[in-house]
Amino acid sequence: MARWAPGASDRLQRAAMELFAEDGFEATTVAGIAGRAGVTERTFFRHFADKREVLFAGEEQLEAVFVDAIADAPADASLAGLLVAALDAGGRALQDVRGRDFARVRNEIIMANEQLRERELLKLAKLSHAVTAALVARGIADVTACLAGELVVLVFKTAFARWIAPDETRALVELQREGLAAISDLTRAETV
């Protein structure tokens, strides 16, 4: 095995995803992943803390895309405009990085394992917190920013589930916009 080869991280991710899909997450070992990728276990651990983190690589970058979109929005942007900017940027980044097929396989692996589902929920909670902090930094009141941070995650999560559905062909950004419109309709609905 090569001590170092370019693209090791991508090869490790591909190998891990293949093995998780073939053998299941629990049965897959770091040694097996490294072997399929053609690198040593030591190389694996240079890129990932453990096999679980292969599924969550890029989490910080995705979070930064949401936060940067809020920070970089025009000074006079409304709260709704900030949320749209964050969701559009995050949606585009996610669908462009690996695509729908990768997202579907990843989601199946995560949904089949309770610990991975918990880790996914933690990722979403961190995203909500980061969006909330970015909104507060823009001068949005704490309570409003907290609700908006949760709303962004809710819209993102709902649109993502629709985006990876077997017969869905629309873009993630389009589905997120549709979700925001549905929330807007709900808030305008008459109460009984």
Side-chain angles (χ1 to χ4, degrees):
M1 284 186 215
R3 281 191 70 196
W4 182 89
S9 180
D10 287 340
R11 286 197 325 276
L12 284 163
Q13 278 190 300
R14 264 192 312 278
M17 295 297 287
E18 290 168 3
L19 288 169
F20 294 157
E22 292 168 14
D23 302 332
F25 178 79
E26 294 296 333
T28 300
T29 65
V30 168
I33 296 168
R36 181 164 292 190
V39 299
T40 64
E41 285 184 63
R42 187 172 178 170
T43 299
F44 176 93
F45 288 114
R46 282 192 188 114
H47 294 277
F48 304 102
D50 57 37
K51 68 180 184 178
R52 181 182 60 172
E53 292 308 308
V54 172
L55 294 165
F56 298 95
E59 175 182 337
E60 294 84 14
Q61 291 88 344
L62 182 62
E63 187 179 293
V65 168
F66 279 84
V67 168
D68 291 348
I70 293 168
D72 296 341
D76 62 347
S78 66
L79 177 56
L82 295 173
L83 301 185
V84 167
L87 284 163
D88 283 0
R92 277 192 302 274
L94 184 62
Q95 66 188 24
D96 292 348
V97 170
R98 296 278 186 185
R100 194 184 316 246
D101 291 337
F102 177 88
R104 284 178 178 141
V105 171
R106 179 188 174 275
N107 189 67
E108 287 174 17
I109 293 163
I110 289 172
M111 291 300 114
N113 181 287
E114 184 177 351
Q115 291 177 339
L116 295 176
R117 288 192 308 269
E118 289 174 1
R119 178 67 174 78
E120 181 76 355
L121 290 172
L122 176 61
K123 178 188 88 172
L124 294 172
K126 287 171 58 180
L127 177 60
S128 174
H129 179 74
V131 168
T132 298
L135 292 170
V136 168
R138 288 289 303 241
I140 307 296
D142 289 351
V143 171
T144 303
C146 184
L147 290 169
E150 292 292 330
L151 180 64
V152 163
V153 169
L154 176 63
V155 169
F156 174 72
K157 184 173 84 167
T158 303
F160 179 82
R162 294 174 65 205
W163 181 62
I164 62 170
D167 296 329
E168 185 58 67
T169 59
R170 292 175 291 169
L172 180 55
V173 170
E174 180 182 348
L175 295 167
Q176 289 177 147
R177 293 261 181 132
E178 195 174 276
L180 277 176
I183 295 286
S184 180
D185 291 346
L186 283 172
T187 60
R188 286 193 303 265
E190 286 186 41
T191 56
V192 177

